[in-house]
Amino acid sequence: MSEELRCRALTVAPGATAILRGVDLTVPAGTRAVLVGPSGAGKTTLLRAIAGLQEIAEGDIHVGERSMRGVPPQRRRIAYVFQEPRLLGHLDVLDNVALPLRAQGAGRSERRAAARERLDEVGLAGLAGRRVQGLSGGEQQRVALARALCARPRLLLLDEPLASLDPGRRAELRRLIARVQAEHEITTLMVSHDRAEAAELAQHLALMIEGRIVQQGDPRCLFERPASAVVARFFGATNIVQGRVRDGWMALGGGAIAVDGPDGPATVAIRPEHVCVGAAAGVRATVAEALYRGTDVHLGLDLGNGQRLEASCPVARAPTAGARVTIAVAADHVWRMPGEAAAPAGRSPAHVRDGSHST
Amino acid sequence: MVAERTLLSRVTAALLAAAFALPLAALVVRAFADEWRAPAVVPQQFGLRGVHEAFSSMSLEAFGNSLLVAVLTLSAALALGWPAARVLGERRLRRPGLIFGVLALPLLVPSYATATGLTEWFLRFGLADSLLALVLAHLVLVLPYVVVVLLAGFGPALRDLEEMGDVHGLSRPARLWLVTLPALRPTLAAAALLGFLVSWSEYGSSLAVGGGRPMLPLVLLPFVGSDPEVAAALALLFLLPAVAALVAATRAVWEPL
């Protein structure tokens, strides 16, 4: 039942400027991919193009062996869960879920029986006869999910379906999506701007920036081995250090860190949680800022020479602002980025750019 | 405090009700009175003279004409107003204000003037004094109302719902029936009510292009000064379809399918 999704060199340009610029994305049959990116990157546009709601200028979309070019949305059999539930107010919950089967011409008892099954799957069996207006936001989105799955679609698209829910409900619904996807083995592409959500749900993760997919692959790969500074920053590797590698070492503050690869200019990414604060030996730093964030303490570290580093530290062991500390970074936590242009000559000692704070 | 407010709101409601009910009550009483001179609160003599006069063959013909013209005008206005309101409501035009301004232009002068202008053209196209001319003249006045009310129903919210229908496989007719019409129902009802009432009570253009065809407002007016009993009975006749339209529209707006 489930089929592979393939986008090839997809370009969407509704106006003068292109929103998607040559997107290549493959989601293997029966797997779950998450597309992340900042607002306005074109994530929703990609989903709309796949569903047939947005005209494509160039490239092609295949679901299984079939090209979707020229196929109207009604005949694509691609289910879409929107950011808002988009339920029909004049129908009860069960008839809302049964809508796709009604579109296919199924009889009333048949479609209501199938809808009841789907409703049971999302844990709302008891609400079948209710009007949709009385449901909470989370319940409405579950109804929308049940509706999407009702007609056994070939592909499931989810456009930030959790965005408007509170954190508790969001985690619950996230697990529900993962479970239902696995049970139906339906090829799924979900859009999110929340990288933690993406890490939890994605079997395949893709980052889109300004209409291009800048990196895709295993989620850990994007978090820990970003292809560029842009990717690193999006996934929270906020320490981007440029410098020159000599004999496997790169200068950092008053000390140095071990960096893999040949000598020469290099840009490395270090995740804040991988900066070990209070090491026995390493680089001396002053805590410029300590920000309690509930689950950890975010530290702004001053290394001298105007260099700064961000670190995330367990609450119990966190130093206070003004403290002098020694930091170290394990060699396998220093990621030398392959695609990144090195610092221009004459710009040493190493220049540390201040990453944007992320929550 | 709460009790006071309740009392106040009750008095207000009663006054408002009285303001609507008193003229209506006077009409009813007048229609069934043969003699009702000023100082008396109760008619000196009840009777059905006014009702008999009002239900003459001419006024019944006028009733039929007015109903036919109103229904035809409303149908045409909804058919033309629907796409116009969709285009305007979805902000698909660069200068929606200009289009709407042109559309609303006939409302800026008395309808008699608009219709007199139209008559010039009807004469030249051989439409003068025809039913079609009457419908067209009413349409010019009804369409802006219908469009401006329908406008509220079209927009991103409806488009979103229709997209939902598209991706879930609804054909165009199914989408219209299951998504668009239910979503537009209250707006449609309000537009239809307003459109019907504007045409139903239209006087000036019916006079200008009607070519002597009896229409209910035209038949009613001469009696207002000369024979209040007949005028009152005609007014009640006039009121019936309007009330029926109001009730139907109210039900469509507030009651579930």
Side-chain angles (χ1 to χ4, degrees):
Chain A
M1 204 58 200
S2 92
E3 297 180 70
E4 182 188 68
L5 165 71
R6 242 172 332 128
C7 302
R8 284 282 165 272
L10 204 61
T11 298
V12 168
T17 51
I19 298 178
L20 299 183
R21 308 149 190 252
V23 170
D24 288 302
L25 178 71
T26 301
V27 184
T31 66
R32 199 162 62 226
V34 177
L35 179 67
V36 291
S39 309
K43 308 184 294 290
T44 296
T45 304
L46 177 58
L47 286 200
R48 291 175 59 82
I50 294 168
L53 298 174
Q54 177 78 55
E55 205 177 324
I56 58 178
E58 282 167 49
D60 203 352
I61 298 162
H62 279 83
V63 178
E65 294 305 308
R66 256 183 91 195
S67 165
M68 289 290 121
R69 277 209 97 140
V71 180
Q74 293 87 343
R75 292 204 272 111
R76 294 195 179 194
R77 298 200 47 210
I78 295 176
Y80 200 132
V81 177
F82 299 91
Q83 200 165 338
E84 332 78 49
R86 301 194 188 177
L87 303 178
L88 297 177
H90 67 291
L91 299 178
D92 67 7
V93 168
L94 201 59
D95 279 333
N96 264 285
V97 175
L99 189 74
L101 286 175
R102 194 164 179 178
Q104 292 178 4
R108 185 179 156 85
S109 57
E110 180 196 342
R111 64 179 191 245
R112 282 178 74 93
R116 212 173 281 278
E117 251 174 68
R118 298 288 86 76
L119 210 49
D120 196 26
E121 258 174 15
V122 299
L124 294 183
L127 300 184
R130 289 265 291 272
R131 308 207 117 239
V132 293
Q133 288 90 340
L135 306 186
S136 72
E139 286 167 341
Q140 292 197 3
Q141 227 22 325
R142 280 166 192 252
V143 173
L145 180 63
R147 177 180 63 190
L149 294 167
C150 196
R152 306 267 169 206
R154 304 193 294 165
L155 186 66
L156 176 61
L157 304 175
L158 303 154
D159 189 1
E160 304 206 28
L162 316 175
S164 57
L165 306 180
D166 62 75
R169 292 262 177 284
R170 196 180 301 184
E172 220 173 85
L173 202 48
R174 201 149 61 196
R175 282 191 293 275
L176 176 71
I177 288 171
R179 201 192 72 220
V180 169
Q181 185 275 334
E183 278 169 8
H184 285 252
E185 289 184 342
I186 181 169
T187 314
T188 299
L189 177 59
M190 172 163 155
V191 156
S192 176
H193 63 254
D194 180 341
R195 57 180 190 244
E197 185 174 293
E200 186 182 323
L201 278 174
Q203 291 165 326
H204 181 86
L205 183 57
L207 172 63
M208 177 178 273
I209 286 171
E210 289 176 356
R212 288 191 184 86
I213 291 186
V214 292
Q215 192 176 353
Q216 55 181 313
D218 177 63
R220 278 193 80 147
C221 182
L222 275 79
F223 275 85
E224 292 170 19
R225 297 194 292 283
S228 66
V230 176
V231 180
R233 266 192 223 102
F234 185 87
F235 288 105
T238 46
N239 297 309
I240 312 289
V241 186
Q242 291 184 319
R244 183 167 281 278
V245 177
R246 225 171 257 126
D247 303 325
W249 292 87
M250 193 170 90
L252 180 69
I257 48 172
V259 176
D260 285 339
D263 286 3
T267 304
V268 301
I270 303 166
R271 300 191 63 82
E273 62 270 26
H274 290 155
V275 175
C276 175
V277 179
V283 181
R284 305 283 299 166
T286 308
V287 178
E289 175 189 39
L291 195 64
Y292 174 69
R293 294 197 299 194
T295 51
D296 67 343
V297 174
H298 177 84
L299 300 177
L301 300 169
D302 193 350
L303 306 186
N305 309 334
Q307 277 190 322
R308 281 177 70 99
L309 221 51
E310 291 181 18
S312 155
C313 194
V315 177
R317 289 196 281 111
T320 52
R324 310 256 319 146
V325 294
T326 304
I327 59 164
V329 186
D332 56 348
H333 284 151
V334 176
W335 169 248
R336 183 172 180 173
M337 285 181 292
E340 199 69 356
R347 234 178 122 190
S348 62
H351 169 70
V352 179
R353 273 186 267 161
D354 197 26
S356 60
H357 288 229
S358 51
T359 49
Chain B
M1 186 62 200
V2 172
E4 272 172 41
R5 199 187 299 163
T6 313
L7 184 66
L8 187 68
S9 59
R10 278 185 187 166
V11 170
T12 313
L15 283 174
L16 276 173
F20 288 115
L22 284 177
L24 194 62
L27 272 186
V28 174
V29 174
R30 177 62 82 183
F32 294 99
D34 279 352
E35 196 186 346
W36 189 22
R37 269 172 286 112
V41 179
V42 179
Q44 285 84 359
Q45 195 185 337
F46 285 98
L48 292 174
R49 191 192 61 85
V51 176
H52 281 304
E53 290 272 326
F55 282 80
S56 69
S57 61
M58 189 181 65
S59 52
L60 287 181
E61 190 195 340
F63 183 90
N65 282 342
S66 282
L67 198 60
L68 180 65
V69 169
V71 168
L72 289 177
T73 304
L74 179 60
S75 308
L78 288 175
L80 294 172
W82 178 294
R86 186 183 272 277
V87 167
L88 288 168
E90 290 176 0
R91 309 271 191 280
R92 282 196 258 156
L93 296 179
R94 254 183 304 168
R95 307 284 299 275
L98 188 72
I99 302 295
F100 187 72
V102 171
L103 202 62
L105 223 48
L107 299 183
L108 302 184
V109 291
S111 60
Y112 184 80
T114 308
T116 307
L118 281 171
T119 310
E120 300 287 344
W121 294 105
F122 291 152
L123 279 168
R124 282 158 182 78
F125 290 115
L127 288 174
D129 300 347
S130 68
L131 182 69
L132 181 60
L134 205 50
V135 170
L136 286 175
H138 279 207
L139 187 58
V140 167
L141 302 166
V142 168
L143 195 55
Y145 289 108
V146 167
V147 170
V148 81
V149 176
L150 277 184
L151 206 52
F154 289 102
L158 181 66
R159 271 213 68 78
D160 284 356
L161 272 184
E162 290 181 331
E163 273 182 354
M164 182 281 295
D166 286 343
V167 297
H168 288 111
L170 293 177
S171 64
R172 279 305 160 99
R175 191 183 82 174
L176 181 69
W177 181 248
L178 287 170
V179 179
T180 313
L181 281 175
L184 270 185
R185 204 163 67 115
T187 322
L188 215 48
L193 174 67
L194 194 61
F196 178 83
L197 292 182
V198 167
S199 168
W200 179 249
S201 57
E202 177 55 31
Y203 182 86
S205 63
S206 300
L207 186 65
V209 301
R213 190 185 301 267
M215 299 288 283
L216 206 51
L218 303 186
V219 171
L220 170 66
L221 207 67
F223 288 107
V224 169
S226 63
D227 195 336
E229 284 78 30
V230 178
L234 277 174
L236 291 183
L237 186 63
F238 193 90
L239 211 58
L240 281 176
V243 170
L246 183 66
V247 170
T250 310
R251 287 175 63 98
V253 170
W254 278 289
E255 282 178 26
L257 281 173

